[in-house]
Amino acid sequence: MRSRGRAAYACLAALLASGVASADDVPPTPAPPAPPPDVAPAPARPPPPPLPPAPEGRAARPLAKAAADGPPCEPAFIEHVYKATKPSVVRITRPDGSLGTGFVFRDNTHVATALHVVDLGRDVRVEFPGGKSMDAEVVAVDEDHDLAILELSEPTDAPPLVPREDVSVGSPILAIGNPYGDLARFSNELEGLLNFSVSQGIVSAKSDAFIQTDAVLSPGNSGGPMLTCDGKVVGVADRLLESRIGFGVPVHHLNKLTSRIGGPKYYGRWIARDGALGLAWQSDASAYLGFYLGGSLVGYDRITITGRVGMAFAGKGETVAPIVDRSVRRIFGELTVGYRVLLLPYALPTYFTIGGGLLGTIDRGEQTSLAITADAPPRLAATTTNIRGGGIAPLAQAVLHLASLELSYGFALDVLHPKYSTHRVFVGLSF
């Protein structure tokens, strides 16, 4: 029995040894326990989305704020836009010497600008950055929005700027113009500057009437283009409220104005101008010296309605009469209508005006004279009398405006006493 038990034990050991040798070295992973029947299995996590591909042809870089519905503004857009649009920006010089800015618009024979730049009703001179200049006439105006379109005497090679009506607040903007452009003529230090210069800002606010910007719009910029970073025109520079608050007229008003091209010729409008302050001299029975203040309402740069007021003073003067002292105050006023002619346009603009009207005066004063009394015995006594005078007389005058200097001569006829007619001379500064 023992020998059989040992044999059976040996056979069992041999079988176990052979099973272990044929099995895998890594024991099998036990199956996870089944979840309880009341617990749902967790859902599988979705794979993360793939990253967007990098832009081809260039490295990624930050961009400036994009204009509404337009391409993004590259960091160097000011330089690119200036080079691309400058050939189409012009300097406008009026016959009276004032200047502004404009730009080629609609086609190569028309220029857009602000109406107050060309409101004389006379032809103007247009100068391109390359130095070429030509004459132009006003062919369409919008007085409500201060816009005008000029027609060039010959086509230009400069391409017309493209309008764009949509722009958002905060969008970058730049203006090209001729700020204080005349200063470069009188200062060697400013040679090559001011004309066709650029300023940058943003659209600060907007309405249907104006686009507000902090881009510098100095005198001489009026009528120039306001451009976005894609080089399109969104407004026409119009006015400056403060040193850093400028306004331009939205370009959609300019687009509407193009439909008026070919309409009635523009001859100008009525403008208040030629304000003056200076010295007044009058001579009739006495010689008066004082001051005056005046101004004109000018229509079509040819018809003037001028008013002046002032005060003058007269003393004793040279006389053989026994007058000890004399003091007279004269308050005077004039109202005249005249016709003015422009002489030496562009080179040395000078206005010469001939006109007529009325001169009114009010004289008040005192005079002290010596006389011999009829007393016995006679004696020498001083007598003081009040002076009261004045009246209205027809007046003829001639006026010369040379730059900021006003010279005027007038003759007022005393119909009842021609020898007491008044000669008067004004010398003043216009503003």
Side-chain angles (χ1 to χ4, degrees), residues 280-295:
W281 175 83
Q282 297 183 359
S283 176
D284 43 37
S286 301
Y288 295 83
L289 183 64
F291 62 90
Y292 78 98
L293 175 67

Side-chain angles (χ1 to χ4, degrees), residues 305-344:
I305 300 176
T306 303
R308 299 185 181 95
V309 294
M311 178 176 287
F313 305 88
K316 180 171 70 70
E318 296 295 332
T319 177
V320 295
I323 298 175
V324 176
D325 188 29
R326 187 174 188 269
S327 176
V328 183
R329 301 171 299 279
R330 168 172 286 182
I331 299 173
F332 64 88
E334 296 181 4
L335 183 62
T336 59
V337 178
Y339 185 84
R340 54 196 258 150
V341 179
L342 178 59
L343 307 175
L344 306 175

Side-chain angles (χ1 to χ4, degrees), residues 309-387:
V309 294
M311 178 176 287
F313 305 88
K316 180 171 70 70
E318 296 295 332
T319 177
V320 295
I323 298 175
V324 176
D325 188 29
R326 187 174 188 269
S327 176
V328 183
R329 301 171 299 279
R330 168 172 286 182
I331 299 173
F332 64 88
E334 296 181 4
L335 183 62
T336 59
V337 178
Y339 185 84
R340 54 196 258 150
V341 179
L342 178 59
L343 307 175
L344 306 175
Y346 301 112
L348 187 63
T350 304
Y351 281 101
F352 181 68
T353 305
I354 293 290
L358 297 174
L359 168 66
T361 59
I362 299 175
D363 296 338
R364 294 293 183 269
E366 299 79 27
Q367 176 176 293
T368 302
S369 58
L370 298 177
I372 298 176
T373 65
D375 300 339
R379 60 187 179 87
L380 191 65
T383 304
T384 300
T385 58
N386 291 326
I387 297 175

Side-chain angles (χ1 to χ4, degrees), residues 54-427:
E56 298 180 0
R58 62 176 180 176
R61 59 181 177 179
L63 299 176
K65 178 178 174 60
D69 302 326
C73 298
E74 301 295 339
F77 84 93
I78 298 176
E79 179 183 356
H80 297 157
V81 172
Y82 179 71
K83 289 181 178 179
T85 59
K86 177 184 174 182
S88 301
V89 180
V90 301
R91 169 186 163 120
I92 298 175
T93 305
R94 306 188 339 169
D96 66 351
S98 300
L99 63 87
T101 305
F103 55 94
V104 181
F105 188 76
R106 185 175 180 260
D107 53 44
N108 63 351
T109 60
H110 291 93
V111 167
T113 186
L115 176 58
H116 71 264
V117 173
V118 295
D119 58 5
L120 288 183
R122 301 180 186 268
D123 292 353
V124 296
R125 181 174 294 169
V126 172
E127 180 183 350
F128 287 84
K132 183 178 180 180
S133 63
M134 62 184 73
D135 293 334
E137 65 173 342
V138 181
V139 294
V141 299
D142 180 354
E143 295 195 36
D144 293 335
H145 299 99
D146 194 30
L147 294 173
I149 295 179
L150 313 178
E151 185 172 302
L152 300 172
S153 58
E154 59 183 272
T156 176
D157 295 332
L161 298 185
V162 179
R164 178 176 164 191
E165 297 190 2
D166 297 323
V167 64
S168 61
V169 174
S171 297
I173 200 170
L174 60 90
I176 303 176
N178 303 281
Y180 302 100
D182 268 346
L183 293 181
R185 297 180 179 180
F186 307 105
S187 174
N188 294 332
E189 295 178 352
L190 299 177
E191 185 176 358
L193 303 175
L194 300 178
N195 289 314
F196 303 104
S197 59
V198 63
S199 60
Q200 182 200 8
I202 63 170
V203 176
S204 305
K206 66 176 186 175
S207 67
D208 181 70
F210 289 108
I211 295 175
Q212 180 185 330
T213 180
D214 63 346
V216 179
L217 302 178
S218 302
N221 275 98
S222 295
M226 298 171 63
L227 305 158
T228 51
C229 60
D230 55 2
K232 295 182 179 179
V233 181
V234 294
V236 181
D238 188 67
R239 65 186 67 179
L240 185 69
L241 182 62
E242 293 291 345
S243 58
R244 293 290 297 178
I245 303 179
F247 294 92
V249 179
V251 75
H252 67 85
H253 294 298
L254 189 60
N255 286 332
K256 294 178 182 178
L257 181 58
T258 58
S259 63
R260 303 185 192 177
I261 295 176
K265 181 176 174 59
Y266 178 73
Y267 292 99
R269 56 181 176 176
W270 288 92
I271 305 172
R273 58 177 300 176
D274 294 340
L277 175 66
L279 298 176
W281 175 83
Q282 297 183 359
S283 176
D284 43 37
S286 301
Y288 295 83
L289 183 64
F291 62 90
Y292 78 98
L293 175 67
S296 298
L297 187 63
V298 180
Y300 315 108
D301 201 44
R302 293 166 177 83
I303 302 171
T304 65
I305 300 176
T306 303
R308 299 185 181 95
V309 294
M311 178 176 287
F313 305 88
K316 180 171 70 70
E318 296 295 332
T319 177
V320 295
I323 298 175
V324 176
D325 188 29
R326 187 174 188 269
S327 176
V328 183
R329 301 171 299 279
R330 168 172 286 182
I331 299 173
F332 64 88
E334 296 181 4
L335 183 62
T336 59
V337 178
Y339 185 84
R340 54 196 258 150
V341 179
L342 178 59
L343 307 175
L344 306 175
Y346 301 112
L348 187 63
T350 304
Y351 281 101
F352 181 68
T353 305
I354 293 290
L358 297 174
L359 168 66
T361 59
I362 299 175
D363 296 338
R364 294 293 183 269
E366 299 79 27
Q367 176 176 293
T368 302
S369 58
L370 298 177
I372 298 176
T373 65
D375 300 339
R379 60 187 179 87
L380 191 65
T383 304
T384 300
T385 58
N386 291 326
I387 297 175
R388 298 289 184 269
I392 297 176
L395 172 69
Q397 70 164 359
V399 184
L400 189 69
H401 281 101
L402 178 60
S404 297
L405 182 64
E406 178 181 80
L407 302 173
S408 176
Y409 168 77
F411 178 77
L413 176 64
D414 189 328
V415 178
L416 300 179
H417 306 91
K419 68 177 182 178
Y420 294 132
S421 296
T422 302
H423 301 266
R424 70 111 176 97
V425 174
F426 291 151
V427 178

Side-chain angles (χ1 to χ4, degrees), residues 24 26 70 179 410:
D24 189 31
V26 181

Side-chain angles (χ1 to χ4, degrees), residues 19-20 22-32:
V20 171
S22 63
D24 189 31
D25 294 334
V26 181
T29 304

